[in-house]
Amino acid sequence: QVQFVESGGDMVQPGGTLRLSCAASGFTLADYAVGWFRQAPGKEREGISCIGARDGSTTYTDSMKGRITISKDNAKNTVYLQMNSLETEDTAVYYCAANLMRVRCVEPLRTYEYDYWGQGTQVTVSS
């Protein structure tokens, strides 16, 4: 089955950190640009970061720039999202997906260009 499996979500206090993982199954991660997205209750899914297929170039949404870092390990077929200084507004389900139309990242991330969605991992930031 071709999909991603996300993990690492948890409940943390404001100012806390989390590292999310996104393991690719059934395809080779190195062939695709990969995006991280999030969806808060009652809101649309938004793209927050992307890493390119070959050059490893990265993009970040303005609201999280400086607080998140995307990386990948092609040998492990896994993409990571390090999140620091978390805020209550970061509470959401976080997803990753592969861009089937581009090998490089283009902002803003367009969800229709992405597939192989996983089930998501819940991040809750609360005191």
Side-chain angles (χ1 to χ4, degrees), residues 13-16 63 67 84-91 124-126:
Q13 294 186 341
S63 65
R67 299 192 294 121
N84 304 320
S85 303
L86 284 164
E87 304 170 353
T88 56
E89 294 76 15
D90 297 321
T91 295
T124 303
V125 185
S126 176

Side-chain angles (χ1 to χ4, degrees), residues 87-101:
E87 304 170 353
T88 56
E89 294 76 15
D90 297 321
T91 295
V93 180
Y94 285 70
Y95 303 87
C96 55
N99 193 314
L100 302 188
M101 300 177 64

Side-chain angles (χ1 to χ4, degrees), residues 29-34 50-59 72 74 102-106:
L29 183 68
D31 293 337
Y32 299 90
V34 175
C50 179
I51 187 163
R54 298 183 179 91
D55 62 2
S57 59
T58 59
T59 65
K72 65 178 179 176
N74 286 333
R102 305 174 191 272
V103 293
R104 301 191 69 183
C105 300
V106 175

Side-chain angles (χ1 to χ4, degrees), residues 2 14 23 31 42 47 52 60 64 69-70 92 98 103 123 127:
V2 178
D31 293 337
Y60 300 98
M64 301 193 79
T69 304
I70 190 171
V103 293
V123 172
S127 56

Side-chain angles (χ1 to χ4, degrees), residues 4-120:
F4 280 109
V5 178
E6 301 93 340
S7 61
D10 204 345
M11 177 179 288
V12 297
Q13 294 186 341
T17 65
L18 282 174
R19 188 192 194 206
L20 306 183
S21 297
C22 175
S25 175
F27 66 100
T28 301
L29 183 68
D31 293 337
Y32 299 90
V34 175
W36 276 100
F37 298 77
R38 67 181 181 180
Q39 188 165 19
K43 294 187 176 182
E44 292 188 356
R45 191 169 297 186
E46 64 168 331
I48 59 174
S49 185
C50 179
I51 187 163
R54 298 183 179 91
D55 62 2
S57 59
T58 59
T59 65
Y60 300 98
T61 190
D62 286 344
S63 65
M64 301 193 79
K65 198 172 292 184
R67 299 192 294 121
I68 60 173
T69 304
I70 190 171
S71 61
K72 65 178 179 176
D73 186 333
N74 286 333
K76 295 183 178 180
N77 230 26
T78 300
V79 177
Y80 304 96
L81 187 70
Q82 177 69 40
M83 301 194 298
N84 304 320
S85 303
L86 284 164
E87 304 170 353
T88 56
E89 294 76 15
D90 297 321
T91 295
V93 180
Y94 285 70
Y95 303 87
C96 55
N99 193 314
L100 302 188
M101 300 177 64
R102 305 174 191 272
V103 293
R104 301 191 69 183
C105 300
V106 175
E107 282 284 339
L109 305 188
R110 302 174 178 86
T111 55
Y112 64 81
E113 294 184 352
Y114 289 79
D115 205 342
Y116 306 163
W117 297 91
Q119 81 290 347

